Amino acid sequence: MQQDLIPHLFRTEYSKIVAVLSRLLGLQHLDVAEDIAADTFLAAMEIWPYKGVPTNPEAWVYVVAKNKVRNHLARSAIFMKKVAGGLARDASQIEYPEIDLSEQNISDSQLQMLFAVCHPALSVEAQLGLALKVLCGFGIEEIANALLSNKDTIQKRLYRAKKALREVGLKMELPNASAINERLDSVLTTLYLLFNEGYYSESDDNVLREDLCREAIRLTGLLIENEATRQPEVLALMALMHFHSSRFAARKNERGEMILYDDQDEQLWDREMITKGVYYLHAASQGERLSKYHLEASIAYWHTQKADTKEKWDNILQLFNKLLRLQYSPAAALNRTYALYKVHGRAKAIEEAEKMSLSDNHYYHILLGSLYSGVDNSCALTHLDVAYELAKSAAEKAMILKKCAKLRKWMLRHGFYYMYNKP
Amino acid sequence: MEKFILIFRHEDGSKIASPEQMQVWMKQTMDWIGGIAAQNKFVEGNGLPFHNARVVGHKGVVTNGPFGDIKETIGGFIIVKAESVDEAVAFAKGCPVLQGEGNTVEVRRVAADDGVH
């Protein structure tokens, strides 16, 4: 029973140790910090299975990690003395810096690490990979699965990312007041992508996907805990994440197949998550700025109301109008068109959808498939066929096939109806 | 892809319509702009409130205006991306301002900042 605790403990503690040690040793020694953390867990794996898990595993891990840091410092001091000129004092006289693994220092260090890995000098892919590795304690294979890549690519990406970090000469610190908003933008983008990677990813590993979302929420929480970074956009992003996460249990059936929003069992929605989301959205509405996170969180809020009211869709349409003016994205354009259908009817939505140049996007064809259903069924089926060809994951392909089958059944039924009711 | 500005000329809506009607127009305008933005063709835009407007004339003569004599004043604008003036005109045709007789949308190409214009 207690053995089950280990993998998660490692994941959490790894990121804490790496952050604290990077702050202590300097970000240019990130690799050393990672090695020490990994060595610590290696020691646990060698000892715990035989002697039992200690009563306080975290404390054990911290003691071992601290010892390993001291050994490392002593070794490098000896190296300095023997090889690099003998200026360092006797190894026995080294003054060890204090290794502060207090809760406060851990969260401060992780926050600084968050800003470091989200530095604009790094590509977005590098930021995501590095965040998963050093802040979420994911292994290379988990990262590869989560980001639909392979181990080699991820390994190279991380190597390059760390090199870039060293070259920028970044320090473990919060950006100063004048730079913090700009840097915060890039942190929020990364957290947003991290969450979306979990929520919309085509990876079939559901557990991993939910972990990704939870980690994104945890890291956003770090920003909220600190006064300097508790900005309205951060609170809005947190609200958005909570509203989406509330539907986790309702999104998949027991066979792991995707259940679309309309078919979800509302009883499975997590009310507590929704309440927290409302709290964060309310807190986010204190400032002047209306960010895309505010708009997306408000849209997500309306989706926590299952009933199809006019008020709901009116609001969603206007929010998408605003969101698109702020920043275009194909997903927003397609979702807006669905809202347009709900407010102004099929004909209007089809007219606007046909003007979009998104024919290589499978969601575009799913949307047109459902808009044409019942109006021009053969056209609907053509779009669903294209969507099926373009879809990448098995879950999505299965969902599209289900729609096709439903439509064919409907056509059959209505076909008979027309046959029997011919004048 | 070039940029075009769509300039709306119309009477001060608040003088001829109820607040309710104004709200309907506002929603229609937002839907119209949303439709352009959904094609990734929206650049920017804004309304120009009639309230507290001034016209500064020759020799610095300041008047409240430009209303009074001129029926068609500028009430707002948007800038769109379009392949041609015809596409920009097609966008303009959807503008809710045109529901009012005598109102117009002027379509003008925005000079590219490329040193040629």
Side-chain angles (χ1 to χ4, degrees), chain B residues 10-53:
Chain B
H10 55 89
E11 266 188 294
D12 181 354
S14 64
K15 287 188 181 148
I16 53 169
S18 68
E20 194 60 27
Q21 180 60 47
M22 304 256 298
Q23 201 180 328
V24 172
W25 285 342
M26 192 182 70
K27 260 193 175 174
Q28 287 175 346
T29 306
M30 291 193 292
D31 285 347
W32 172 61
I33 294 173
I36 296 169
Q39 297 175 54
N40 200 11
K41 300 273 174 77
F42 176 77
V43 181
E44 61 174 302
N46 226 325
L48 304 172
F50 290 90
H51 176 68
N52 240 351

Side-chain angles (χ1 to χ4, degrees), chain A residues 9 13 17 40-41 48 56-66:
Chain A
L9 177 82
E13 298 309 317
I17 294 171
T40 303
F41 297 121
W48 294 4
N56 187 345
E58 283 102 334
W60 188 96
V61 163
Y62 292 166
V63 169
V64 173
K66 283 182 186 181

Side-chain angles (χ1 to χ4, degrees), chain A residues 37 40 94 128 212 267 278 281 338 354 374 389 403 423:
Chain A
T40 303
I94 304 166
L128 280 177
L212 230 54
Q267 297 304 315
V278 170
L281 186 57
Y338 186 77
E354 296 285 7
E389 290 305 319
K403 269 183 181 285

